Structures are given as C-alpha cells and as structure tokens.
Amino acid sequence: MTEEENWDEDLEEDAAIAGVFQHLNIHKQHTGKSDYSEVRPSNERVDFVTLPCGHRMPTDYVVAWFKCYIKQKKTNFSCPHFNGREGKSCGVKLSYQEIGRLIPLTDKQREFLEENLATLVARRLFDFKACPGCQSHVERRDRSNLCVHCTICTANLKRTYYFCWNCRREWKGPANNSVRCDNNGCGQRVITSDPLTFCKPEFKRKMLEEKRDDIYPIKDKSPDRKRLALLINNVEFKYLSDRTGAEKDEQNMEVLLKGLGYTVITLRDLSAQGMLAAMRDFAQREEHAESDSCFVVLMSHGDACGICGVFDSFDNEEEEDIFATDEIFNSLNTPNCAKLRDKPKIILIQACRGDKEGGVDVPDAVQRRRNKEHREKDFCCLRSCTPDTVSYRNENTGSHFIQDIVEIFNQHAHQDDIEELFRKVLKKFKMTHPNQMPCKERTTLSKKFYLFPGL
C-alpha cells in the first residue's frame, strides 16, 4: 500500500477528526460539531485503562504514545503493548475518538491532541501554510503559483499582501510564478550543517582491523540496521514544579541520537507505572534483533529513591510516584531482553539524587538461558550527578548534563569509544561546573563501544 493510500485510509477511519477543525485558524476552513462532548475533562489521576484489544496499561502511557504518534505525523494510534505469544507489538488500531471515550482527558491534553490531529489531517485535505505576516493558516488554491494572498494581513495592513509559498517571506516580483519569488535565496536548497562530526571510513576500517577482539560488533549503516532509542522526558507535574527548559534537552538529544543512526521514541510526562510500561515494551521491540545497541535517556525530577513520575508529591506519602532505576537494568538484562544480549545498552539519566544544593540554576530536585549467561552485562550508565546531590537545569538552555553530552558527542564520537566520551564529559564538568559531577554506574561493558557516526 502506498503512503497516499495509507493517508486516505486514516482519513476515512478518523473522519470524526474533522470536527475539531474549528480550533485552527484556516482560511476557508471546514467546521463541524465535535463528537467528543461526552468526554469530561478531569484533573484527577486515572491509573489504568483497558483498551478495546484487552490490554490494560497506565493512562499516561497511552496518552504519551498518542502524542508520540502525532510527533511522527501519524493520525492513527495503535496499542504499544508487546504481545509475547506472537513476538510483536499488539498493533491494534485505535482512533482519537476511542481514546477520548476511554480516558478523561484534561482540557490541555484534549487541546493539544485535537489541534495537532486537525493540523495533520488538514494538510491532506488542504494545501495550507502559516502566513509569515500573521501566522494564520492560509490555503493555496492554485498549486502552480507560489504567490499566495493573505486576506487577514491585507485587512490589517490596508494593502494587498502576498507571501511566497516557498520561502515564506513577503512576496517580491511578478505575482504569478511557479519557480521562485525575487527574495534572495528563494528556490535555492538550504544546506544545514550537522553539528555531529562524522567518522571517516578509513578510521573505522583501521579500528576493526587492529582491535576487532576488543570492540563490540557494529552493523554498517543500511536499511537493515534498526537502532532504537527511548527518550522519556517528564516536563509537567501535578504537584511538583514543571521542568522549564527540559524541552531544549529533548530537542538536542533527539537531534544527536538521530544523527547517530537511532530511531527515537520520545514519550512525555509519564508516571512511575508509565515509565515501567515504557521500559518493558521497549525491551521487547522486535527491532532490537536487527540492531547493534540501544540508548535509553530519562529526564525528570529525582531523589535518592529514584526518578519522579508526574504524580509524585513530597508532601504526601500516599501520592509517592517514584520509578526505581533498577527497573531500567531489569528490563534490558539478559533474561528479559534476549534480542540485546551481547550488545551495548547506554543509559543516560538527567535527574537529581538528593537535595544538597550548590548553584544558581533551577535544580531538578525534590526533598526525598539455558547456557550460563551473566544476568546483567553490556551496560554503561551515566547519571547527571553523584548520590544525594542536585542536578542543575537552566530554564533557557536546558541542563548542564545534556548540553555537555551533546557537545562532547558531536565533537568526539567520530573517534572515541563511549567510555572515553563519558570521561570527557566528566572532565568538562570538573573544569566548568564545580557544584555538580556526573557519575558512571553499573558499567559492565567488556569491550569498547564505538558509535562510528555516519557509517
């Protein structure tokens, strides 16, 4: 089936989505009555939901996966639960309408989902873009003409306003053109430089020839290699302060991991049960059989007991929502994740481990087989701070930990193995961040792991 046919099928199955178009400011927009009036907004915690396929899972995990699908520009959601008997993810399709009936979404969740779904569907129904002058969505009626008229800007400016569909700047030149306008650079391909330094083929060949027995086997870059990375980023909390600036860390890590050849699964705002479900399902993904490694990145508040879920509260023990880091290793160890046996598993954790402060930035803290195989091996974990101490995050630029990892990897991953990269992160912290020191833990790599970016 072609991508176009898939889109058409999605539109037919989710025809009710058209009812949320009134949330978009689109010229010549479709309107309709929403089919979701029976959904009652709720700020109450809902722990689990049973999906039509019969799988029961944390509600925040289901919502996080729906957002992940939207981020991937998909309008259909499918159950992420791994079916052990069939050896693959459940995959039963679910519409937004079904999810809305099963889960009492908050107003903020519903607004996010409906607006983004409507935008995705509208892109198939209409040819529209945001006007550079007023940011409203304008439909292009003549697809052979890059010169598009914005009625809102025309009314506001009291003159006829056109913009270029290609470069999204105010139009210059003849008003009928299918190639380019007269703005500098319009019609030219913009080449963005990847900050990640790629590995040279001769370096990779040399390392594999000279140190083959001391290096983990790495699959060559190809469609058959299916590297996966799981990124969990808790930003908004029910009781604790929101982690302002964490969006920047998420964006930087996604760019880095994709540059290293990993398909990134990003899940936002999970409870401890949601993180546990995410880890267990990630461990069973069929792609690991065709991979040579994996990354797991967790970013949240934290304390000495573990990583905070979005419902944690230090004022009420009954509302404790803590994810134990042991579960990361348990999910990916030899008995529970056979597809990653003998393959490097890199764990990065940005979270506090106590309340000992020492800086001015916003702290990520709260007050509180048949054959004999090693149960846990081939792990390498770097945490953002030592036990009982605070991990710092800047509201504008993100955390020191993620910033420095991205910088070191971009500059040195083409020639250094993972433990040398981590050592350079520690060295930079020693020189530039006197109030915080990352900590390498539970590292059981028996060989060197080179990422060989670009190859």
Side-chain angles (χ1 to χ4, degrees):
M1 183 178 289
T2 66
E3 185 177 347
E4 294 290 331
E5 290 171 333
N6 270 324
W7 263 106
D8 292 340
E9 183 181 273
D10 290 345
L11 293 182
E12 290 176 4
E13 293 179 356
D14 294 318
I17 294 174
V20 301
F21 280 171
Q22 67 263 33
H23 294 290
L24 285 175
N25 184 12
I26 304 175
H27 299 190
K28 191 186 174 183
Q29 64 187 33
H30 282 203
T31 59
K33 184 178 179 180
S34 173
D35 292 329
Y36 310 115
S37 57
E38 74 277 9
V39 178
R40 297 186 301 277
S42 172
N43 291 321
E44 297 298 320
R45 177 176 175 180
V46 180
D47 285 332
F48 289 86
V49 61
T50 300
L51 300 178
C53 56
H55 291 129
R56 185 171 179 267
M57 57 190 68
T59 55
D60 53 276
Y61 181 52
V62 176
V63 173
W65 260 106
F66 209 117
K67 291 181 178 180
C68 181
Y69 272 71
I70 289 175
K71 196 169 188 177
Q72 297 170 0
K73 296 182 170 53
K74 297 178 181 178
T75 56
N76 257 0
F77 169 74
S78 60
C79 174
H81 182 78
F82 181 79
N83 190 324
R85 287 175 298 180
E86 297 183 6
K88 62 180 181 180
S89 296
C90 172
V92 171
K93 289 186 176 181
L94 302 166
S95 68
Y96 168 70
Q97 187 175 20
E98 290 175 298
I99 296 300
R101 286 172 177 167
L102 290 169
I103 299 175
L105 300 171
T106 64
D107 289 339
K108 190 170 185 178
Q109 288 173 334
R110 190 198 300 185
E111 180 181 3
F112 174 88
L113 294 173
E114 290 186 353
E115 288 193 0
N116 282 276
L117 280 170
T119 301
L120 289 173
V121 175
R123 283 175 178 168
R124 303 305 303 171
L125 297 178
F126 313 119
D127 189 21
F128 76 92
K129 285 185 180 180
C131 168
C134 62
Q135 300 304 314
S136 62
H137 291 83
V138 180
E139 181 185 2
R140 180 172 67 155
R141 298 183 181 181
D142 182 2
R143 299 201 176 201
S144 64
N145 188 9
L146 294 176
C147 182
V148 180
H149 180 216
C150 176
T151 56
I152 292 180
C153 284
T154 296
N156 291 340
L157 299 173
K158 295 183 172 36
R159 62 177 175 82
T160 304
Y161 182 89
Y162 295 97
F163 71 91
C164 177
W165 199 256
N166 191 33
C167 67
R168 289 189 66 244
R169 287 177 285 179
E170 185 171 0
W171 185 266
K172 290 183 179 180
N176 196 330
N177 196 315
S178 62
V179 180
R180 64 184 300 274
C181 69
D182 287 348
N183 281 306
N184 291 333
C186 183
Q188 298 176 4
R189 183 181 177 187
V190 178
I191 301 175
T192 57
S193 58
D194 190 334
L196 182 65
T197 301
F198 287 143
C199 177
K200 295 181 179 180
E202 51 267 29
F203 175 79
K204 181 178 180 180
R205 285 195 299 268
K206 178 182 178 182
M207 297 303 294
L208 292 177
E209 290 172 1
E210 296 179 358
K211 301 181 179 181
R212 179 174 296 275
D213 294 337
D214 295 325
I215 297 177
Y216 280 97
I218 298 296
K219 291 179 178 287
D220 290 333
K221 184 177 180 180
S222 74
D224 295 330
R225 186 182 73 182
K226 299 178 180 178
R227 288 176 168 176
L228 284 184
L230 175 64
L231 195 164
I232 296 174
N233 187 20
N234 289 343
V235 180
E236 297 180 353
F237 294 77
K238 184 174 181 180
Y239 303 108
L240 307 178
S241 61
D242 291 345
R243 296 181 58 249
T244 307
E247 299 90 343
K248 189 69 175 177
D249 286 343
E250 178 182 312
Q251 178 185 353
N252 289 337
M253 281 305 305
E254 284 181 334
V255 171
L256 174 63
L257 291 169
K258 288 175 183 177
L260 293 171
Y262 292 85
T263 298
V264 184
I265 300 169
T266 302
L267 300 177
R268 278 271 195 105
D269 300 335
L270 294 178
S271 64
Q273 288 289 342
M275 287 187 273
L276 179 60
M279 282 305 312
R280 290 178 175 175
D281 283 337
F282 178 76
Q284 301 304 317
R285 291 287 293 248
E286 49 267 37
E287 292 94 333
H288 292 317
E290 306 301 326
S291 178
D292 53 22
S293 57
C294 79
F295 269 78
V296 173
V297 183
L298 286 90
M299 301 184 289
S300 185
H301 288 304
D303 62 15
C305 298
I307 300 170
C308 295
V310 293
F311 299 117
D312 191 47
S313 171
F314 58 82
D315 293 327
N316 187 347
E317 290 185 1
E318 294 181 0
E319 293 293 343
E320 187 176 85
D321 185 27
I322 296 293
F323 176 69
T325 55
D326 280 351
E327 295 295 349
I328 304 170
F329 298 88
N330 292 339
S331 297
L332 298 175
N333 66 15
T334 301
N336 294 323
C337 188
K339 295 183 180 70
L340 284 174
R341 188 177 64 184
D342 299 324
K343 301 175 183 179
K345 296 163 280 285
I346 310 305
I347 317 298
L348 304 174
I349 302 174
Q350 161 59 33
C352 282
R353 306 176 69 179
D355 58 359
K356 295 180 180 178
E357 303 180 25
V360 296
D361 289 339
V362 180
D364 271 340
V366 298
Q367 319 302 322
R368 33 148 234 118
R369 211 168 79 172
R370 298 176 181 173
N371 296 326
K372 281 288 185 181
E373 290 279 353
H374 293 95
R375 175 173 293 274
E376 181 179 305
K377 63 187 182 70
D378 307 309
F379 282 92
C380 191
C381 175
L382 187 66
R383 302 197 61 168
S384 59
C385 58
T386 51
D388 303 320
T389 61
V390 170
S391 180
Y392 291 97
R393 170 177 38 85
N394 184 281
E395 293 186 347
N396 297 315
T397 59
S399 66
H400 300 325
F401 182 64
I402 298 299
Q403 288 180 69
D404 288 355
I405 284 178
V406 170
E407 179 182 329
I408 295 297
F409 275 52
N410 281 337
Q411 294 177 0
H412 301 287
H414 68 288
Q415 62 185 10
D416 291 337
D417 67 277
I418 194 74
E419 293 197 72
E420 176 62 15
L421 292 171
F422 285 174
R423 188 192 67 79
K424 286 180 175 176
V425 172
L426 298 179
K427 182 179 179 181
K428 182 166 185 185
F429 264 80
K430 180 182 179 182
M431 297 170 59
T432 60
H433 307 304
N435 296 318
Q436 180 182 344
M437 176 55 70
C439 180
K440 192 167 65 172
E441 292 186 348
R442 293 176 76 158
T443 295
T444 53
L445 295 180
S446 58
K447 300 180 180 181
K448 292 184 177 181
F449 173 41
Y450 285 89
L451 289 157
F452 298 127
L455 299 178

